[in-house]
Amino acid sequence: FGTYIGGNSDDLVNDFQLLSNGCIVFTGYTKQITEVNGFLPNGSGTDVLFGRLKIPDSGAVQFELLDKYGGSGSDQGWGLLNLGDSVSIIVGQTSSANFPLGSAIPFQSVKNAGIDGFIAKIYNDGNTDHKASFVGGNDDDILVSVRPVVVNNRVAILGFGSTRSDDLATRNFNAGSFFSGSNSGGLDMMFVISDLDMSHKYYLSYIGGS
């Protein structure tokens, strides 16, 4: 099968994951899609795109979810990780100071500059509960990929991207030798590792040269 995903303006799918039952979840960004069973808060302009395609053993493929997520600025989803079949972690970039973070306190609650990265935890079944955190400093920051890692025998999430900020709130849990606490010049890579609820930050480090 094949299908278009979009509305009457720009729409991109940047990452997807296959669930154990054969369904597909995906993320990207959109301006004008028509939501299907939408449950996430959204604003205006460009929003994060999140969707779920139901692929039955027989019969028609259909959109179970087609949703916009974001604030009043430009919000884009770049990377997606599934934790089992029920939870998705999305990373990306946002220019929205009011990007919806959920009700619990994240490790970074304020957007610091024009574009910040973000990490968000959402549910694949349309549950309205969600959680997110900004990741950024005094210049543009973006997260493009996300993977599971283990810290102190606990599963955590690692977001990877790039930064121009020279004031990231870096952290070096357990004094890892790979850590770099400062921007080495211009555009650096960066990574952040947090708990699954985005309440506690284990690492935030620069990676780069001059």
Side-chain angles (χ1 to χ4, degrees), residues 51-142:
R52 175 171 174 155
L53 275 169
K54 182 179 181 180
I55 307 173
D57 293 333
S58 62
V61 173
Q62 57 185 292
F63 288 109
E64 289 187 308
L65 297 169
L66 198 55
D67 209 345
K68 295 186 286 188
Y69 177 41
S72 57
S74 178
D75 313 291
Q76 301 176 20
W78 288 98
L80 179 67
L81 167 69
N82 279 119
L83 302 175
D85 286 345
S86 61
V87 175
S88 287
I89 306 295
I90 298 175
V91 297
Q93 67 184 77
T94 177
S95 66
S96 300
N98 62 343
F99 189 85
L101 303 181
S103 57
I105 298 175
F107 64 79
Q108 182 181 327
S109 60
V110 176
K111 185 179 76 69
N112 286 324
I115 297 173
D116 267 15
F118 73 83
I119 302 176
K121 174 185 177 182
I122 63 175
Y123 291 88
N124 297 338
D125 61 359
N127 187 318
T128 57
D129 192 21
H130 66 281
K131 176 76 179 290
S133 179
F134 293 108
V135 183
N138 60 7
D139 209 324
D140 290 342
D141 314 282
I142 176 174

Side-chain angles (χ1 to χ4, degrees), residues 17-204:
Q17 294 272 291
L18 185 66
L19 305 183
S20 66
N21 62 1
C23 292
I24 295 172
V25 290
F26 56 88
T27 192
Y29 58 90
T30 181
K31 288 186 177 180
Q32 298 291 341
I33 64 160
T34 299
E35 293 182 308
V36 177
N37 298 325
F39 63 98
L40 293 167
N42 62 80
S44 55
T46 299
D47 283 321
V48 175
L49 169 67
F50 177 73
R52 175 171 174 155
L53 275 169
K54 182 179 181 180
I55 307 173
D57 293 333
S58 62
V61 173
Q62 57 185 292
F63 288 109
E64 289 187 308
L65 297 169
L66 198 55
D67 209 345
K68 295 186 286 188
Y69 177 41
S72 57
S74 178
D75 313 291
Q76 301 176 20
W78 288 98
L80 179 67
L81 167 69
N82 279 119
L83 302 175
D85 286 345
S86 61
V87 175
S88 287
I89 306 295
I90 298 175
V91 297
Q93 67 184 77
T94 177
S95 66
S96 300
N98 62 343
F99 189 85
L101 303 181
S103 57
I105 298 175
F107 64 79
Q108 182 181 327
S109 60
V110 176
K111 185 179 76 69
N112 286 324
I115 297 173
D116 267 15
F118 73 83
I119 302 176
K121 174 185 177 182
I122 63 175
Y123 291 88
N124 297 338
D125 61 359
N127 187 318
T128 57
D129 192 21
H130 66 281
K131 176 76 179 290
S133 179
F134 293 108
V135 183
N138 60 7
D139 209 324
D140 290 342
D141 314 282
I142 176 174
L143 293 172
V144 296
S145 66
V146 57
R147 295 291 186 270
V149 293
V150 175
V151 177
N152 270 15
N153 298 314
R154 295 182 179 181
V155 177
I157 49 177
L158 181 151
F160 200 91
S162 59
T163 177
R164 290 190 182 277
S165 299
D166 59 12
D167 67 338
L168 289 181
T170 55
R171 181 154 196 253
N172 188 13
F173 181 77
N174 280 350
S177 60
F178 50 81
F179 174 77
S180 176
S182 60
N183 187 310
S184 296
L187 182 67
D188 271 13
M189 296 175 284
M190 69 169 174
F191 72 88
V192 59
I193 300 177
S194 77
D195 66 341
L196 296 180
D197 206 35
M198 276 135 303
S199 299
H200 184 76
K201 179 176 61 181
Y202 298 114
Y203 294 96
L204 179 57

